[in-house]
């Protein structure tokens, strides 16, 4: 195995607080892999053999419901850990991970998790904090799905993506990876037709810009007003 350079992880928040020596030691047990856009990194309910850190790209996390419906649970951004089934007390993956763009990931054997968390407590604590945050986000989305109107759910989804991956441009905050209207529909439990209608209306009103698999938030304040159902117009 080719030794991995510490610069791969030294700038990532997940590894902040670790000494250079600890970072290098942690990398010695990792392997690096590339995944082309739309390729699968792991499948829902497959045996969890590895856990991962995304070094470059974006990952789409998809859950399949018992009736066969696919729901996009979240997106993973550069620097995030994912697939840590052991931290959830699981032996299988709870969802499918798909490369939204070409990706580079680091992977460790799942059997190493307990030992690595013990030897590198900062790494372990940060991972558990990330897992806890995601569980809270999941609970928030469940509440949204059961209590909010579709327009609110779509507005909240775009705000989350803009906050998570937004890139400032002259036009506004661009969601910095390809996302289709169908993707947004799957994230918000609605139909492609409804999402298309809403995005077209918001574009006409100057709130967003929408292109082929691109969304730019032009007026974040007005989108917040829609998400919080304060728009009386």
């Amino acid at each position: 195995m080719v030794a991995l350079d510490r610069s791969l992880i030294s700038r990532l928040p997940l590894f902040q607080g670790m000494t250079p020596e600890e970072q290098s030691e942690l990398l010695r047990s990792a392997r690096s892999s590339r995944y082309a856009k739309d390729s699968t990194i792991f499948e829902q309910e497959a045996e969890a053999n590895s856990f991962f850190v995304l070094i470059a790209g974006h990952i789409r996390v998809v859950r399949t419901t018992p009736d066969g419906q696919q729901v996009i649970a979240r997106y993973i951004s550069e620097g995030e850990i994912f697939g840590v089934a052991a931290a959830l007390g699981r032996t299988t993956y709870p969802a499918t991970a798909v490369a939204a763009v070409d990706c580079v990931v680091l992977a460790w054997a799942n059997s190493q998790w307990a030992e690595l968390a013990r030897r590198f407590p900062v790494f372990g604590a940060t991972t558990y904090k990330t897992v806890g945050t995601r569980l809270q986000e999941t609970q928030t989305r469940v509440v949204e799905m059961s209590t909010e109107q579709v327009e609110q759910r779509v507005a909240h989804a775009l705000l989350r993506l803009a906050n998570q991956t937004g890139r400032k441009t002259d036009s506004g905050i661009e969601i910095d990876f390809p996302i289709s209207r169908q993707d947004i529909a799957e994230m918000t439990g609605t139909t492609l037709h409804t999402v298309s209608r809403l995005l077209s209306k918001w574009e006409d009103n100057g709130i967003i810009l929408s292109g082929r698999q691109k969304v730019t938030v032009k007026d974040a304040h007005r989108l917040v007003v829609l998400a919080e159902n304060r728009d009386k117009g």
Side-chain angles (χ1 to χ4, degrees):
M1 185 186 301
V2 178
L4 299 173
D5 193 307
R6 189 178 62 83
S7 64
L8 281 172
I9 64 169
S10 59
R11 61 188 171 83
L12 302 178
L14 180 64
F15 302 94
Q16 298 296 306
M18 297 178 67
T19 67
E21 292 75 19
E22 288 175 328
Q23 292 172 353
S24 296
E25 187 177 353
L26 185 62
L27 274 180
R28 277 196 280 273
S29 55
R31 67 181 187 279
S32 175
S33 301
R34 294 180 180 272
Y35 290 89
K37 179 182 177 181
D38 294 328
S39 60
T40 298
I41 297 155
F42 54 76
E43 295 272 5
Q44 181 174 328
E45 297 305 332
E47 184 179 355
N49 294 316
S50 302
F51 64 93
F52 308 84
V53 171
L54 181 60
I55 298 301
H58 293 279
I59 301 291
R60 184 167 59 246
V61 179
V62 181
R63 296 201 67 175
T64 302
T65 64
D67 62 0
Q69 180 182 357
Q70 288 197 329
V71 177
I72 296 177
R74 64 173 288 111
Y75 281 85
I76 303 295
S77 297
E78 180 180 311
E80 290 191 65
I81 195 166
F82 65 104
V84 199
L88 295 168
R90 294 181 59 106
T91 57
T92 60
Y93 295 115
T96 298
V98 180
V101 295
D102 292 346
C103 293
V104 178
V105 304
L106 296 179
W108 287 262
N110 201 47
S111 59
Q112 296 177 289
W113 166 249
E115 176 64 12
L116 291 176
R118 183 189 65 79
R119 288 170 56 197
F120 308 109
V122 172
F123 176 68
T126 304
T127 299
Y128 282 118
K129 182 178 179 180
T130 298
V131 170
T133 298
R134 288 180 188 163
L135 289 174
Q136 288 181 327
E137 289 174 356
T138 299
Q139 291 173 343
T140 298
R141 286 188 60 192
V142 168
V143 171
E144 288 176 4
M145 296 284 274
S146 60
T147 64
E148 292 186 350
Q149 301 293 325
V150 171
E151 187 172 53
Q152 291 178 269
R153 299 203 303 265
V154 175
H156 268 131
L158 293 183
L159 287 169
R160 269 194 294 267
L161 292 172
N163 287 332
Q164 182 184 4
T165 70
R167 180 173 64 89
K168 289 187 177 180
T169 69
D170 292 339
S171 301
I173 304 172
E174 180 182 274
I175 295 172
D176 195 25
F177 59 89
I179 182 164
S180 69
R181 294 184 174 193
Q182 181 62 44
D183 291 337
I184 297 170
E186 291 181 13
M187 290 183 71
T188 55
T190 188
T191 64
L192 174 60
H193 172 76
T194 299
V195 168
S196 296
R197 178 177 56 80
L198 285 173
L199 296 192
S200 295
K201 182 177 77 170
W202 293 348
E203 188 159 18
D204 290 342
N205 292 339
I207 299 172
I208 66 164
L209 281 175
S210 179
R212 180 174 171 79
Q213 295 198 329
K214 281 291 180 184
V215 177
T216 299
V217 177
K218 293 181 65 178
D219 192 333
H221 173 72
R222 289 174 69 190
L223 199 59
V224 169
V225 169
L226 289 168
E228 296 181 357
N229 199 27
R230 291 191 274 122
D231 186 10
K232 305 302 182 184

